[in-house]
Amino acid sequence: MKKSIILVVVCVLCAATFFSESIAYLSSNEHEIYESYFLEYNEVMGEYYNVLLEIIQTNPQYESYFYKPLDIITVASALMNYKALEKYLNENGVLLDYERIVNESNDLFNKYMSDDSLKEPFLRFFGTESIFKGFISSIVYRDEVVKSINSFFTDTYGENMSEVLSEWYEEYLSNFDFVVSYEPLIPAYEIFKAQSLQEFEAIEEKYRSIVLRETNIPEEWYISYVYLVENILSVQYSKLEDLQKYMEIAGNYPQLLEYSNDELSNQLSYYSQISETDEATDLRVEATQKVNLLQEYIYLAGNYGTYNEEKIKNEYEQINMQIEEMYLAYENSLVNLKKINP
């Protein structure tokens, strides 16, 4: 669908109902943004509250507050699949009937809001009429996309293409991604997209300085930072333990520092054979201890490089300082969250 048509429809919808801002845009895997295919805030939030209801029904203890930003991003990611399908339809000459989507959404919304027995519980859960309306609109839109894509494939190939469509669906969607434009959710989006521990740690470091020094930032940024710290602290402490152990091994077994990788492998193989013998002798116990020592040393050398006392001490002190800063930023986030949402 052309951007101008989309904008006309959105303007009509906003004028007739509620204002809502864009939260995310469809993009290619190469980061080309398709501005005509976007998600509205009230639609995503409506879907989020619906998903949350399902989660709470199975897990009443679910900590929804501190997972909220990431859960919203997860919902947005799933909804973007429908935008990708709409793009495919548009490129093949099929335009969604937006007039019907708007009319059906309005009819359903008015039906629920005119029934006091339904209106009160719905608004209590969804919070505002705008978000509830967004949820209704999203349901109607998704149904329209599914019906249209099924009809297109059936009309094109002259038969029910459910199996072929399923395979095509996975392959087609793999070409797409999405970007978040709604500022409060940007940290959660970065967390959601992180592919490695190193990326995760870089995101934490980036927002650590922000939550320590800036005051006028969205509530969701503090929540996302709390999530980061609670998932990174244990890793940082593990690194401290590793470095402490590395220094202890280097001090107690300096001969290990002289071995080449091949020599270490040969030693490990030799003592492993002895430790795996059936007879429980002092030699076997000693061999098992040496196997454990060699395995730990090989792991530490592989992760932290060839031992250098000054380098390892500096890294230990740096991580320890980072942990102290993380605690300060973590505490600051919680204090500010309490002010924002007692």
Side-chain angles (χ1 to χ4, degrees), residues 265-277:
S265 296
N266 291 335
Q267 289 276 317
L268 181 60
S269 176
Y270 172 74
Y271 286 112
S272 294
Q273 289 178 358
I274 298 174
S275 69
E276 293 167 0
T277 58

Side-chain angles (χ1 to χ4, degrees), residues 27-78:
S27 73
S28 69
N29 286 333
E30 289 72 36
H31 311 297
E32 178 184 2
I33 297 174
Y34 306 115
E35 294 184 2
S36 297
Y37 304 94
F38 54 88
L39 296 173
E40 294 290 335
Y41 175 82
N42 59 354
E43 293 173 343
V44 175
M45 292 306 299
E47 294 277 10
Y48 161 73
Y49 284 118
N50 184 58
V51 170
L52 181 61
L53 176 60
E54 296 176 6
I55 293 173
I56 291 175
Q57 286 175 338
T58 57
N59 181 13
Q61 304 304 316
Y62 184 72
E63 181 51 79
S64 59
Y65 181 73
F66 283 102
Y67 283 102
K68 184 175 180 179
L70 268 174
D71 285 345
I72 294 172
I73 295 295
T74 303
V75 168
S77 177

Side-chain angles (χ1 to χ4, degrees), residues 180-198:
V180 167
S181 56
Y182 183 60
E183 184 183 12
L185 293 177
I186 289 176
Y189 172 73
E190 293 179 17
I191 294 169
F192 181 82
K193 301 299 290 184
Q195 297 292 313
S196 66
L197 176 61
Q198 288 73 23

Side-chain angles (χ1 to χ4, degrees), residues 8 16 25 42 73 78 125 128 163 200 209 295 311 325 341-342:
V8 168
Y25 292 87
N42 59 354
I73 295 295
F125 185 74
T128 67
E163 292 185 8
F200 211 58
S209 61
Q295 287 177 333
K311 170 193 164 188
E325 274 196 359
N341 191 342

